[in-house]
Amino acid sequence: MLTKIRLYNTLTKSIEEFSPLNPPIVKVYFCGPTVYDYTHLGHVRAYLAFDFIKRYLLLRGYDVIHVQNITDIDDKIIKRAQDEGVSWKEIADRYTADYLEVLKKLNIKVDIHPRVSEHIKDIIEFVQMLIDKGYAYVAPSGSVYFDLSTVSDYGKLSGRKQREEWRQEEEFLHEKKNPFDFALWKAAKPGEPWWESPWGKGRPGWHTECAVMSSKYLGKQFDIHAGGQDLIFPHHENEIAMAEAAYDVKPWVRYWIHIGYLTIHGEKMSKSLGNIIYAKEALEKWSPETLRLWVFSAHYKKQLEFNEDILQQFKDFYQRLVYCVNILQRLLNEVEPSYSLSDNELRVFRELERIDIEFHKAMSNDFNTSEALKAIRELTSIIFREIETKPSYTLVLRAYHMLWSYNRVLGVLDRYFERRPAIDLDYINKLVELIIRVRSELRKRREYDLADKIREELLKLGIRVYDYKDSSKWVIEKLSS
């Protein structure tokens, strides 16, 4: 029986057993981007870290509904548009397209991507509900603020218990009842986009949108809300205050998950610090698979330091994984089923069982991808050391299934597990082996130019050859159409 999933809940500051409201359905909301610039590696780390969590829940049989917002109207978007002399919508559409393209390349799938500008009516109705209930007030300017003095448990997510710690949006102190109140609706300023509302022309406050869109699609109470650690205060704290006031439910969200920062030279990677690496540049230099493995190597709560040497190591490890899939697929075609296991095969079979237990034990313990990676590395070592050298159909099949299962979380080997059935892999294997034997004979004769030419041509066909002292190995990276 698999270990029960336990996770750290920022709300309770403790490790808890995962128990969704309506299993097997799990409803999750992740705070997406404010689209005023290109997606950078800090975003990538957050999106991938949560993708691994979601994928493991899917592997364990849960039906996950994933909502991830796009903030397409915001002060930063407006400023960028003014600086470039274009409309706010042009800015939002440009960087939304970049964001969606990055997710596609990274193999991240989101069920619902609500844009704020498409939910203005919902936001206005939500703000009016808070006013009617006495939790919000209209300032003379036409802006609407949430009155935090009406909430008794504010600060429970961030641990900020003193009112002096709640101060925010101080540029509007002159019209707020309290220095810690925050905007639900912002009155229009000259040259800014606006929508009509009962309080005059304006646009949504940043915090309001997530409370509205998450519950519109996931219900008044749902299972998981996640985002970067920098969103705990004030964003997520404010979301809780207004949502629990509006919907009369506590807790509004059962589990809160927060992703650690990506750092470069010890500092958080962020646009404000000017130390960013854009995702599209990283994807060109490093493959999506390399980036996925690199992010998988660190526990989601811990900081992850950008390091090109480490990325190169994961580029190599990816090739190792690809070779494992190829050798196992080849052996499944070559090795005949047996009707008993030798003592040595039984020993290896039990080793595989232990590795599988360790993988699930790690992932069930607050989604500890760092420990789970150790199990995956150990599996690859056994494939090379024990299975490739002395193949047994039972061991090959078991290792293949384990690797397939782990890839449902890793998401880096899909194309190798989803090859077209029309391709005769057995024929391809025999043909390539023949070419490799001919090439080995050429190398023995020191006809290196011709041997290198054969290797280059094989690579063009998607077959990479690795030369060792006395032998050569090959791996199918992709099959040409």
Side-chain angles (χ1 to χ4, degrees):
M1 184 176 179
L2 290 176
T3 307
K4 291 184 177 179
I5 296 174
R6 295 171 60 81
L7 73 162
Y8 181 81
N9 186 354
T10 309
L11 183 62
T12 62
K13 315 294 186 294
S14 63
I15 297 281
E16 300 178 13
E17 185 176 308
F18 182 60
S19 179
L21 292 164
N22 296 295
I25 296 173
V26 176
K27 298 180 178 182
V28 304
Y29 184 88
F30 190 91
C31 278
T34 299
V35 284
Y36 73 98
D37 200 354
Y38 292 110
T39 305
H40 63 68
L41 268 187
H43 299 132
V44 166
R45 191 275 163 104
Y47 303 151
L48 283 177
F50 189 71
D51 188 54
F52 297 133
I53 292 172
K54 170 187 164 183
R55 282 169 170 265
Y56 188 67
L57 291 173
L58 290 168
L59 180 62
R60 290 291 294 268
Y62 290 106
D63 181 9
V64 181
I65 301 172
H66 178 187
V67 178
Q68 189 159 309
N69 71 296
I70 298 173
T71 298
D72 61 350
I73 181 65
D74 179 81
D75 293 343
K76 294 175 181 177
I77 295 171
I78 293 169
K79 185 179 185 308
R80 186 68 176 255
Q82 291 172 341
D83 290 345
E84 293 190 17
V86 298
S87 72
W88 66 272
K89 193 173 187 309
E90 183 175 334
I91 295 295
D93 288 347
R94 178 197 307 166
Y95 297 117
T96 294
D98 170 74
Y99 159 72
L100 294 175
E101 181 63 22
V102 168
L103 290 196
K104 182 178 179 181
K105 288 180 179 178
L106 288 171
N107 197 15
I108 297 174
K109 297 176 176 64
V110 176
D111 297 308
I112 306 172
H113 254 134
R115 290 176 66 148
V116 176
S117 62
E118 300 293 325
H119 294 77
I120 301 299
K121 180 176 179 291
D122 303 292
I123 292 169
I124 290 172
E125 291 174 353
F126 178 84
V127 173
Q128 186 62 58
M129 178 167 52
L130 288 172
I131 294 172
D132 293 343
K133 288 188 170 188
Y135 290 105
Y137 58 91
V138 184
S141 65
S143 291
V144 182
Y145 294 93
F146 189 88
D147 185 353
L148 271 179
S149 67
T150 62
V151 176
S152 62
D153 57 356
Y154 188 77
K156 60 187 176 183
L157 183 71
S158 63
R160 300 188 182 209
K161 299 299 184 182
Q162 304 300 318
R163 290 193 171 192
E164 191 62 28
E165 298 177 294
W166 302 349
R167 296 176 71 102
Q168 53 189 301
E169 301 179 7
E170 299 207 346
E171 65 271 30
F172 302 111
L173 281 175
H174 63 281
E175 66 174 11
K176 296 197 296 183
K177 288 183 179 179
N178 307 292
F180 39 75
D181 295 345
F182 58 90
L184 301 172
W185 182 262
K186 294 184 175 183
K189 295 178 183 178
E192 291 188 352
W194 53 265
W195 287 264
E196 289 286 359
S197 79
W199 325 288
K201 297 174 181 178
R203 57 186 173 87
W206 174 41
H207 311 299
T208 322
E209 63 191 60
C210 287
V212 173
M213 295 190 299
S214 59
S215 283
K216 174 171 182 173
Y217 295 104
L218 300 176
K220 292 182 179 180
Q221 191 176 36
F222 57 95
D223 299 298
I224 297 174
H225 195 313
Q229 290 175 352
D230 55 333
L231 298 180
I232 295 174
F233 183 89
H235 186 51
H236 289 168
E237 196 77 75
N238 289 348
E239 279 189 66
I240 291 173
M242 69 178 92
E244 292 186 347
Y247 304 133
D248 294 319
V249 61
K250 290 187 181 184
W252 169 52
V253 175
R254 183 166 286 193
Y255 305 100
W256 287 83
I257 294 176
H258 289 95
I259 313 299
Y261 300 135
L262 177 67
T263 59
I264 182 165
H265 305 307
E267 287 189 313
K268 175 190 172 187
M269 185 177 290
S270 69
K271 293 169 185 173
S272 60
L273 293 175
N275 62 353
I276 61 174
I277 298 171
Y278 287 116
K280 58 183 180 181
E281 297 169 358
L283 285 164
E284 289 175 4
K285 187 168 185 179
W286 313 100
S287 69
E289 294 84 4
T290 299
L291 293 176
R292 288 189 69 93
L293 290 169
W294 170 57
V295 174
F296 192 82
S297 70
H299 189 280
Y300 74 87
K301 289 205 305 286
K302 293 185 178 180
Q303 292 185 3
L304 176 61
E305 174 74 11
F306 176 76
N307 184 307
E308 294 205 39
D309 292 336
I310 299 297
L311 278 161
Q312 181 59 50
Q313 291 176 24
F314 281 107
K315 183 178 181 181
D316 296 339
F317 182 62
Y318 171 62
Q319 293 303 325
R320 182 179 177 89
L321 289 173
V322 170
Y323 184 80
C324 283
V325 176
N326 275 286
I327 190 63
L328 292 173
Q329 288 175 335
R330 190 185 314 166
L331 290 173
L332 282 173
N333 287 324
E334 295 175 356
V335 181
E336 293 295 326
S338 58
Y339 302 100
S340 66
L341 297 179
S342 68
D343 290 344
N344 185 62
E345 289 169 344
L346 187 58
R347 175 187 62 79
V348 177
F349 187 81
R350 287 173 177 159
E351 279 290 287
L352 293 176
E353 182 181 30
R354 179 188 59 77
I355 290 170
D356 201 34
I357 290 170
E358 289 299 317
F359 174 84
H360 286 287
K361 183 179 177 181
M363 290 302 296
S364 298
N365 181 23
D366 196 24
F367 308 106
N368 194 335
T369 55
S370 178
E371 287 298 312
L373 183 62
K374 293 179 182 178
I376 297 171
R377 287 186 184 278
E378 193 170 0
L379 173 61
T380 64
S381 295
I382 284 185
I383 290 170
F384 287 118
R385 187 179 67 246
E386 305 279 5
I387 297 177
E388 183 184 19
T389 55
K390 298 177 181 178
S392 153
Y393 186 85
T394 299
L395 297 180
V396 172
L397 186 61
R398 178 65 180 143
Y400 185 76
H401 177 76
M402 287 170 63
L403 201 54
W404 172 83
S405 178
Y406 301 160
N407 182 66
R408 289 182 62 189
V409 181
L410 288 174
V412 298
L413 298 167
D414 295 10
R415 57 180 165 165
Y416 299 100
F417 285 113
E418 297 170 0
R419 285 179 179 146
R420 294 165 293 179
I423 296 175
D424 188 341
L425 287 176
D426 186 49
Y427 177 80
I428 291 175
N429 290 336
K430 291 177 180 178
L431 186 60
V432 175
E433 283 292 343
L434 174 61
I435 295 170
I436 294 299
R437 287 198 296 272
V438 171
R439 184 174 175 275
S440 295
E441 187 62 32
L442 290 171
R443 294 181 72 215
K444 288 179 183 178
R445 297 179 183 180
R446 298 182 180 275
E447 296 184 41
Y448 296 119
D449 289 345
L450 185 53
D452 289 345
K453 180 66 175 176
I454 292 173
R455 182 173 61 183
E456 290 170 6
E457 292 301 316
L458 285 172
L459 185 58
K460 290 178 184 178
L461 296 172
I463 299 168
R464 184 179 294 274
V465 179
Y466 295 93
D467 289 325
Y468 300 93
K469 184 178 180 181
D470 299 315
S471 64
S472 297
K473 293 184 178 180
W474 57 274
V475 60
I476 300 175
E477 291 191 334
K478 61 181 177 61
L479 291 177
S480 301
S481 302

